[in-house]
Amino acid sequence: MSEAQAPAKRGAGWLKLAGVALAAFAFTFSLVPLYRIACEKVFGIRLEGGTGQARAGTVATAAERKSRTVTVQFDGGVNSKLPWAFEPEQLTMEVVPGELNEALYFARNDGDRAIVGSAVPSVAPARASGHFTKTECFCFTAQTLQPGEKRDMPVRFIVDPDLPGDVKTITLSYTFFKNEDLTARLGAAQVSNAPHAAP
């Protein structure tokens, strides 16, 4: 390689390095909005602060917000492959937007072995889902119930004060599905830990 080609190759290398640095910088800044979109659209979790987009609907005045109540209805069910009983402990609750609330669901494993279940939430009407924030929920992690085990499962939530004024009722619904992979792992672990009979 001649001496004239060496500076040209070094210059091209620096240019590539600068391009990679710029791409990494841009990718880093895109992670926050991508994370927010994934949480809100895929998992139904609304992060505080919103996306900065204008919200549809009527924004109530401060006095109206304090006196306003919204009815939250609770619903729950299980997929046919899951031998559990699952239902809300109360069907409705009157809530004040902006305040923290807690509701309880009840689950019982009617099967003859330990089973892992995963709950999938939904909020209706769809335009209220962006104004319904779960701060603590059994749906955030898979749940394991032993045969015959009963458990209260709490969900804590806040209804956003900026919920459109014409939305008077919100329905929070959960469907529990059998987590086949985790249940199989649990069964394998229990078999390997079982005492073996003497020969």
Side-chain angles (χ1 to χ4, degrees), residues 128-180:
S129 63
H131 301 277
F132 192 94
T133 305
K134 294 181 288 297
T135 61
E136 181 183 323
C137 183
F138 54 88
C139 63
F140 293 164
T141 58
Q143 302 292 321
T144 303
L145 291 180
Q146 298 299 323
E149 182 181 356
K150 304 172 185 177
R151 185 182 305 162
D152 285 331
M153 296 183 176
V155 55
R156 290 186 178 174
F157 63 91
I158 299 172
V159 174
D160 193 323
D162 292 334
L163 178 73
D166 60 333
V167 177
K168 310 289 186 197
T169 303
I170 297 174
T171 302
L172 174 63
S173 180
Y174 289 96
T175 303
F176 251 108
F177 292 88
K178 182 179 180 183
N179 190 318
E180 300 281 359

Side-chain angles (χ1 to χ4, degrees):
M1 177 177 10
S2 70
E3 290 183 19
Q5 290 176 327
K9 287 213 174 233
R10 271 195 293 261
W14 282 109
L15 190 59
K16 287 180 184 176
L17 184 62
V20 169
L22 278 173
F25 184 76
F27 178 71
T28 302
F29 274 94
S30 69
L31 286 178
V32 173
L34 290 174
Y35 177 77
R36 185 176 303 281
I37 290 168
C39 285
E40 292 180 1
K41 301 297 181 192
V42 178
F43 301 111
I45 302 169
R46 185 170 172 268
L47 301 176
E48 293 304 316
T51 59
Q53 297 174 347
R55 292 183 178 136
T58 308
V59 177
T61 64
E64 290 172 331
R65 286 180 183 174
K66 289 180 182 176
S67 64
R68 180 181 180 194
T69 61
V70 176
T71 302
V72 178
Q73 298 175 335
F74 302 99
D75 185 35
V78 294
N79 178 272
S80 60
K81 291 184 178 180
L82 185 64
W84 286 11
F86 175 72
E87 59 190 24
E89 293 200 6
Q90 66 181 95
L91 296 177
T92 62
M93 178 186 292
E94 292 294 318
V95 303
V96 176
E99 293 184 0
L100 182 64
N101 303 280
E102 180 177 286
L104 289 175
Y105 279 76
F106 169 79
R108 182 184 66 242
N109 181 355
D110 293 331
D112 57 359
R113 62 191 178 101
I115 299 176
V116 182
S118 296
V120 177
S122 68
V123 175
R127 63 196 187 103
S129 63
H131 301 277
F132 192 94
T133 305
K134 294 181 288 297
T135 61
E136 181 183 323
C137 183
F138 54 88
C139 63
F140 293 164
T141 58
Q143 302 292 321
T144 303
L145 291 180
Q146 298 299 323
E149 182 181 356
K150 304 172 185 177
R151 185 182 305 162
D152 285 331
M153 296 183 176
V155 55
R156 290 186 178 174
F157 63 91
I158 299 172
V159 174
D160 193 323
D162 292 334
L163 178 73
D166 60 333
V167 177
K168 310 289 186 197
T169 303
I170 297 174
T171 302
L172 174 63
S173 180
Y174 289 96
T175 303
F176 251 108
F177 292 88
K178 182 179 180 183
N179 190 318
E180 300 281 359
D181 184 45
L182 292 179
T183 299
R185 286 190 211 168
L186 180 65
Q190 288 177 340
V191 167
S192 65
N193 291 336
H196 298 287

